């Protein structure tokens, strides 16, 4: 499948955008007119640069406000079009995007529009240019793809075809069945964009909130499948208008875009039921089932005593130090495993259990790598190991999806573990999950523990400008599902939260963006106010009160819960007074739904990490979301006091 990206998707100069697209691996680009106009380089120089980079120039866009006008205006529009055709000839470009008229159309008459399209086609023929007519969702008279196609069909000109744009079609909730009527050779161009489900005017939605496929709410697998089955054989291109994308690192955005297309391509390959080949030459990816669970969590710290004391207070048992890396140790509570890496020693680095990786300052790591986003001081969540069916296939898929591999040193007799950088700079490792203790734990020692405990969920704070990238990353690499997002109130504003989950709930990862989040990724989790939005690891247990009693006996200081909360709890739920007293005594929070109950307590925060102990009763599947404001307010108070 030939891939392309509109330069409007990316930040930077036109020259930087071309470099980024080529580095990411795109086959071609759409030249957005404004990018060319503001470039100091000639059209010929831009064409030469693209050729040097191995990029085709697939589309010149946009040409606006052409059809549905009176004769005088039409003559001026033809002259304007000829100037653009001449420019395209200088660049060796052969396809232009014609948007349906928004501002100057005064004649809503199909015969007039068809005649004007034909005359434009005659002019385009002189310059060997194809015109792709697109229905803008807010077009004055033409706003539906089906009507645009009807006009193109009636024009019956070899130089006039249509452009299908997923945003303009799906944003209107248009019936897709008529796509099948369009011959593939009359679809001159295809543009893709996803979008979150929003209630707002379509123009603002389009200009500011488009995202790459897989990062929004639409079924682009179905959309691309329908287009592929028409026989369309041209580029599959991204056209995304997004304020965050145009402020983010150019190369990272380009990589994210290509990942979205490769993921979508594989989805369409898997979804097609017909035996007839399609001309898009769709390529599959190695199949990866969703993870079986969390193999381990790695925490990196320069406050080893405080962190390990808190882990011990939560009932974890010390397994041992790594046999060759004394700054790395393993703790476990049942099937919950935490690797702790001390970072106070000069040169100590980590990635996965007892591994050495490149620091953000390592010249081998390109500036666009997520590794550069990760600060090297404090206590933070460094990485996550996922138990998967086939670690090698998961790693191969990740690399084909343009993820960056984590460099790793290991002795010849140590378990081979491979992983990649997540968008926030943390590390994701793949381990073969068999239901038994993984072999890498032998490198720390053997401490049997058959308690009914495991990692319940991991709550990750995301830089705002990489949030959509993170959703696609976990969807495409690990087959996790993005559940509907919600906003949680905090003392400093709303926190956007979206859960990435496996179908069976074995893996649950809420992704959060704190309010007024800093655009500096080096301060992951820190808002513009300077207050840190922490991440946490939730541990499942079978008796929350026993866990709380053990923690108190070992000196744990809980995150305090106000009396007002328990009074409100009694008003909302029919709770036995004895249970309410026990909840209050242990600073335990409570939630209930139609499926079951959820009891949980929080620890204080060390660096940017805290812990949560949870007990799920019967079929409760949530995260105690109504209690999140209580936790956020308590953490805010403690930050102010410290």
């Amino acid at each position: 499948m030939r891939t392309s990206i509109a330069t409007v998707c990316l930040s930077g100069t036109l020259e930087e955008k071309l470099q980024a697209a080529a580095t990411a691996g795109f086959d071609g680009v759409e030249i957005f007119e404004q990018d060319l106009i503001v470039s100091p380089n000639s059209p010929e120089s831009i064409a030469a640069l693209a050729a040097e980079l191995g990029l085709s120039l697939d589309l010149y866009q946009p040409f606006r406000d052409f059809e549905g006008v009176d004769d005088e205006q039409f003559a001026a529009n033809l002259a304007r079009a000829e100037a653009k055709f001449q420019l395209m000839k200088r660049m060796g470009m052969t396809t232009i995007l014609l948007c349906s008229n928004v501002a100057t159309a005064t004649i809503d008459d199909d015969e007039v529009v068809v005649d004007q399209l034909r005359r434009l086609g005659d002019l385009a023929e002189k310059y060997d240019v194809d015109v792709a007519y697109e229905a803008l969702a807010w077009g004055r008279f033409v706003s539906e793809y089906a009507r645009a196609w009807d006009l193109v069909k009636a024009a019956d000109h070899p130089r006039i075809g249509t452009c299908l744009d997923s945003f303009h079609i799906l944003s209107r909730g248009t019936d897709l069945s008529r796509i099948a009527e369009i011959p593939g050779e009359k679809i001159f161009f295809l543009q893709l964009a996803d979008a979150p489900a929003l209630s707002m005017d379509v123009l603002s939605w389009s200009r500011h909130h488009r995202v790459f496929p897989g990062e929004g709410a639409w079924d682009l697998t179905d959309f691309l499948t329908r287009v592929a089955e028409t026989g369309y054989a041209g580029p599959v291109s991204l056209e995304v208008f997004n304020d965050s994308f145009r402020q983010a690192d150019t190369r990272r955005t380009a990589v994210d875009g290509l990942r979205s297309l490769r993921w979508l391509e594989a989805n369409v390959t898997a979804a097609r039921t017909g035996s007839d080949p399609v001309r898009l030459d769709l390529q599959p990816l190695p199949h990866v089932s969703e993870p079986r669970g969390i193999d381990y969590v790695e925490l990196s710290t320069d406050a080893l005593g405080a962190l390990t004391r808190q882990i011990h207070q939560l009932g974890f048992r010390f397994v041992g130090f790594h046999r060759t890396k004394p700054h790395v140790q393993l703790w476990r509570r049942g099937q919950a495993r935490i690797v702790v890496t001390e970072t106070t020693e000069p040169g100590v680095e980590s990635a996965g259990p007892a591994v050495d990786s490149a620091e953000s300052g390592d010249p081998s790591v390109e500036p666009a790598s997520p590794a550069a986003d990760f600060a090297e001081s404090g206590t933070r969540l460094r990485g996550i190991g996922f138990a998967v069916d086939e670690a090698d296939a998961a790693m191969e898929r990740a690399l084909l999806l343009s993820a960056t591999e984590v460099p790793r040193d290991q002795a010849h007799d140590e378990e081979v573990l491979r992983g990649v950088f997540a968008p926030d700079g943390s590390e994701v490792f793949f381990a073969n999950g068999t239901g038994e203790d993984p072999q890498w734990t032998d490198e720390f020692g053997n401490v049997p523990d058959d308690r009914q405990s495991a990692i319940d969920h991991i709550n990750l704070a995301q830089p705002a400008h990489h949030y959509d990238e993170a959703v696609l990353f976990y969807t495409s690499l690990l087959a996790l599902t993005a559940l509907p997002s919600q906003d949680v109130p905090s003392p400093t504003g709303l926190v956007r939260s979206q859960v990435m989950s496996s179908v069976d709930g074995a893996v649950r990862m809420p992704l959060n963006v704190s309010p007024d989040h800093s655009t500096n990724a080096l301060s992951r989790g820190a808002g513009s106010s300077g207050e840190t939005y922490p991440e946490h690891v939730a541990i499942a247990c079978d008796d929350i009160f026993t866990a709380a009693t053990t923690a108190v006996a070992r000196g744990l200081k809980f995150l305090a819960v106000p009396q007002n909360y328990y009074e409100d709890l009694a008003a909302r739920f029919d709770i036995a007074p004895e249970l309410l007293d026990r909840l209050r005594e242990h600073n335990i929070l409570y939630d209930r739904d139609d499926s079951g109950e959820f009891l949980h307590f929080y620890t204080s925060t060390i660096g940017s990490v805290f812990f949560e102990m949870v007990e799920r009763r019967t079929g409760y599947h949530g995260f105690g979301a109504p209690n999140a404001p209580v936790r956020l307010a308590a953490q805010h108070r403690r930050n102010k006091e410290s």
Side-chain angles (χ1 to χ4, degrees):
M1 184 178 84
R2 286 188 58 227
T3 60
S4 187
I5 185 170
T7 57
V8 74
C9 301
L10 304 171
S11 64
T13 65
L14 177 56
E15 295 74 16
E16 291 169 340
K17 296 178 183 194
L18 294 178
Q19 290 278 359
T23 301
F26 281 95
D27 299 307
V29 296
E30 302 177 34
I31 296 293
F32 190 67
E33 184 173 67
Q34 188 66 32
D35 287 327
L36 180 64
I37 290 172
V38 302
S39 173
N41 292 309
S42 69
E44 290 83 1
S45 296
I46 295 300
L49 175 60
E52 180 183 342
L53 294 171
L55 293 171
S56 57
L57 299 181
D58 297 328
L59 184 75
Y60 189 87
Q61 66 115 327
F63 190 73
R64 301 184 186 277
D65 300 328
F66 174 79
E67 82 290 6
V69 296
D70 60 32
D71 291 343
E72 181 180 358
Q73 183 64 57
F74 180 69
N77 290 348
L78 273 181
R80 184 163 53 94
E82 185 164 23
K84 297 305 176 185
F85 295 163
Q86 292 168 349
L87 172 63
M88 292 171 62
K89 192 172 186 64
R90 294 169 60 190
M91 300 181 71
M93 301 184 69
T94 59
T95 306
I96 190 171
L97 178 69
L98 172 63
C99 302
S100 62
N101 199 325
V102 172
T104 65
T106 58
I107 303 172
D108 185 14
D109 186 313
D110 285 2
E111 290 187 6
V112 170
V113 173
V114 166
D115 177 66
Q116 292 177 346
L117 288 176
R118 281 200 197 103
R119 293 168 66 184
L120 179 63
D122 291 340
L123 179 63
E125 179 69 41
K126 298 178 181 179
Y127 294 92
D128 195 26
V129 168
D130 289 331
V131 178
Y133 183 50
E134 170 187 65
L136 294 183
W138 52 90
R140 177 69 177 88
F141 298 125
V142 179
S143 58
E144 296 278 357
Y145 82 92
R147 186 173 184 193
W149 162 239
D150 287 340
L151 293 167
V152 167
K153 184 178 180 181
D156 192 23
H157 195 291
R159 290 296 181 179
I160 302 296
T162 191
C163 171
L164 297 181
D165 183 313
S166 64
F167 182 88
H168 293 298
I169 296 172
L170 298 177
S171 64
R172 296 180 62 89
T174 307
D175 179 9
L176 303 182
S177 62
R178 290 201 61 195
I179 291 176
E181 300 177 15
I182 310 175
E185 61 272 15
K186 293 302 287 184
I187 301 175
F188 282 2
F189 209 74
L190 174 66
Q191 294 175 321
L192 297 181
D194 206 338
L198 298 173
S199 297
M200 62 191 312
D201 70 275
V202 69
L203 179 58
S204 297
W205 194 10
S206 172
R207 286 289 177 257
H208 303 286
H209 300 286
R210 298 194 197 192
V211 290
F212 292 138
E215 297 176 352
W218 291 337
D219 185 357
L220 289 184
T221 298
D222 175 65
F223 181 84
L224 182 56
T225 298
R226 291 173 183 270
V227 176
E229 291 179 347
T230 67
Y232 175 72
V236 177
S237 188
L238 297 169
E239 189 195 38
V240 171
F241 297 84
N242 185 294
D243 297 338
S244 295
F245 288 10
R246 284 176 280 193
Q247 297 171 20
D249 182 275
T250 311
R251 285 171 294 174
R252 285 192 59 172
T253 304
V255 168
D256 187 35
L258 187 67
R259 177 181 298 139
S260 75
L261 287 182
R262 293 304 181 205
W263 168 79
L264 181 60
E265 177 183 22
N267 281 2
V268 173
T269 303
R272 289 191 70 246
T273 57
S275 58
D276 295 336
V278 296
R279 298 176 65 194
L280 279 180
D281 189 24
L282 299 167
Q283 298 298 313
L285 288 169
H287 174 72
V288 172
S289 300
E290 58 187 22
R292 295 186 178 201
I294 302 294
D295 191 41
Y296 69 87
V297 170
E298 182 186 6
L299 303 177
S300 185
T301 184
D302 57 7
L304 183 65
L307 180 61
T308 55
R309 185 181 306 113
Q310 195 171 86
I311 291 172
H312 170 69
Q313 290 165 343
L314 290 172
F316 280 77
R317 295 171 182 168
F318 178 65
V319 176
F321 292 97
H322 190 266
R323 64 189 180 202
T324 64
K325 299 178 175 66
H327 57 276
V328 181
Q329 51 186 269
L330 175 64
W331 295 74
R332 71 175 296 180
R333 191 185 197 281
Q335 293 302 305
R337 287 177 285 269
I338 297 178
V339 175
V340 177
T341 300
E342 187 177 15
T343 59
T344 55
E345 300 178 30
V348 169
E349 304 155 3
S350 178
V355 297
D356 290 337
S357 69
E359 292 183 342
S360 59
D362 191 319
S364 67
V365 179
E366 295 184 3
S369 168
D373 283 358
F374 215 54
E376 289 297 326
S377 62
T379 298
R380 64 200 180 281
L381 196 154
R382 181 78 190 220
I384 304 172
F386 291 92
V388 298
D389 288 338
E390 296 183 42
D392 289 343
M395 188 64 192
E396 182 185 359
R397 180 183 176 96
L399 294 178
L400 289 172
L401 287 167
S402 304
T404 302
E405 184 167 6
V406 177
R408 183 180 190 272
D409 294 331
Q410 63 184 44
H412 71 280
D413 58 346
E414 293 176 357
E415 179 73 4
V416 175
L417 288 173
R418 299 178 69 190
V420 296
F421 289 108
D424 62 6
S426 62
E427 296 143 1
V428 167
F429 275 79
F430 308 106
N432 287 316
T434 62
E436 302 175 355
D437 286 348
Q439 291 185 353
W440 63 262
T441 61
D442 293 340
E443 298 165 19
F444 293 86
N446 184 21
V447 176
D449 192 338
D450 59 359
R451 287 177 292 175
Q452 297 299 306
S453 187
I455 294 175
D456 183 87
H457 65 272
I458 302 171
N459 194 306
L460 300 175
Q462 298 297 301
H465 53 299
H466 295 324
Y467 185 88
D468 296 314
E469 182 184 355
V471 171
L472 175 63
F473 177 87
Y474 289 110
T475 299
S476 61
L477 269 69
L478 287 162
L480 298 179
T481 299
L483 304 182
S485 65
Q486 57 182 315
D487 292 331
V488 178
S490 80
T492 56
L494 291 177
V495 175
R496 179 185 174 193
S497 181
Q498 186 161 26
V499 175
M500 307 299 301
S501 176
S502 57
V503 173
D504 62 3
V507 173
R508 305 179 181 96
M509 293 196 311
L511 306 179
N512 293 339
V513 175
S514 60
D516 295 324
H517 204 290
S518 170
T519 57
N520 179 5
L522 291 173
S523 57
R524 188 181 83 172
S528 60
S529 64
E531 181 172 335
T532 297
Y533 187 84
E535 303 179 305
H536 76 265
V537 180
I539 311 301
C541 67
D542 56 2
D543 188 337
I544 193 76
F545 293 106
T546 298
T549 300
T550 299
V552 169
R554 295 181 177 183
L556 180 67
K557 293 183 178 180
F558 294 94
L559 194 65
V561 180
Q563 172 62 24
N564 291 338
Y565 168 79
Y566 293 104
E567 292 182 5
D568 179 70
L569 200 62
R572 288 191 292 123
F573 298 112
D574 181 18
I575 298 179
E578 297 80 6
L579 175 58
L580 189 63
D581 289 342
R582 294 185 75 190
L583 295 172
R584 183 186 295 109
E585 177 186 356
H586 293 90
N587 284 282
I588 292 174
L589 296 103
Y590 177 91
D591 190 33
R592 180 196 299 167
D593 62 16
D594 293 338
S595 300
E597 298 173 296
F598 187 66
L599 292 79
H600 57 137
F601 68 80
Y602 299 104
T603 70
S604 59
T605 303
I606 301 174
S608 63
V609 176
F610 67 96
F611 296 97
E612 178 185 11
M613 189 68 72
V614 310
E615 179 189 348
R616 295 178 183 273
R617 296 182 175 179
T618 61
Y620 185 96
H621 294 294
F623 300 89
N627 298 329
V630 179
R631 187 256 299 172
L632 289 166
Q635 289 172 332
H636 179 73
R637 287 193 300 271
R638 180 160 291 191
N639 287 339
K640 292 294 186 182
E641 294 167 358
S642 61

